[in-house]
Amino acid sequence: MRKDDCIFCKIANGEIPSKTLYEDERFRVILDLGPAARGHALVIPREHASDLYELPEETASQVLVLAKKIAVRMADKLHCDGLNLIQNNGEAAGQTVPHFHLHMIPRYLKDGQKIGWVPGKPTQEELEAVRKQITE
Ligand code: AMP
Ligand code: ZN
């Protein structure tokens, strides 16, 4: 379903123009307007789902297959040295557009970007506690 006030619904369905790299009946892949690096793209399903939690499993399973195809093409055409796939869910995770999207960020040696986190140093007990919390 399309959501009337959602910018990515409008972009994915062609109501707002975008630099489109690929489209089919389920997805549109566009260039990000604020790229982290040259060729930064977004895989956007046409159907509205706010985030991964809402995304239908069938769509979720298709996203990575499509991303793989685009990734191969990016490597071939852009000659990038690496690629980050990033997918943000919720404000705490940095999501700013509440329509599921997968970032594909080609990386270049010395591109100057910093995409990462500060590693924690959990004890074995802390790791076990969180393992239990998630699995039990
Ligand atoms: P996120 O922070 O994960 O929700 O990512 C949203 C991304 O959408 C950001 O990287 C923005 O630069 C990008 N963005 C927002 N509006 C547009 C637009 N109209 N066309 C292309 N990219 C957009
Ligand atoms: Zn939407």
Side-chain angles (χ1 to χ4, degrees), residues 11-122:
I11 289 175
N13 292 290
E15 290 162 46
I16 293 179
S18 61
K19 293 292 184 198
T20 297
L21 301 179
Y22 173 89
E23 66 177 305
D24 62 24
E25 63 283 357
R26 289 175 177 274
F27 295 97
R28 185 183 291 265
V29 182
I30 67 165
L31 287 179
D32 195 299
L33 276 186
R38 188 165 185 269
H40 181 165
L42 304 170
V43 179
I44 308 176
R46 289 188 193 269
E47 290 283 307
H48 182 87
S50 296
D51 50 31
L52 186 64
Y53 308 112
E54 276 189 11
L55 195 70
E57 284 191 4
E58 193 191 357
T59 312
S61 71
Q62 293 164 343
V63 167
L64 205 57
V65 175
L66 175 54
K68 153 98 185 164
K69 289 182 180 145
I70 304 285
V72 169
R73 194 162 177 92
M74 282 175 162
D76 183 33
K77 300 287 185 178
L78 295 176
H79 306 293
C80 47
D81 303 305
L83 174 74
N84 289 119
L85 296 186
I86 296 177
Q87 201 276 305
N88 300 325
N89 298 282
E91 190 183 343
Q95 185 178 14
T96 58
V97 179
H99 176 128
F100 174 96
H101 51 281
L102 176 68
H103 292 262
M104 300 189 66
I105 307 178
R107 298 301 303 277
Y108 307 89
L109 294 172
K110 300 182 184 163
D111 63 21
Q113 278 293 355
K114 285 199 170 42
I115 298 172
W117 57 87
V118 179
K121 290 182 181 165

Side-chain angles (χ1 to χ4, degrees), residues 1-3 6-10 46-49 98-99:
M1 274 268 278
R2 185 185 166 289
K3 202 161 170 259
C6 175
I7 186 169
F8 277 9
C9 279
K10 291 182 179 146
R46 289 188 193 269
E47 290 283 307
H48 182 87
H99 176 128

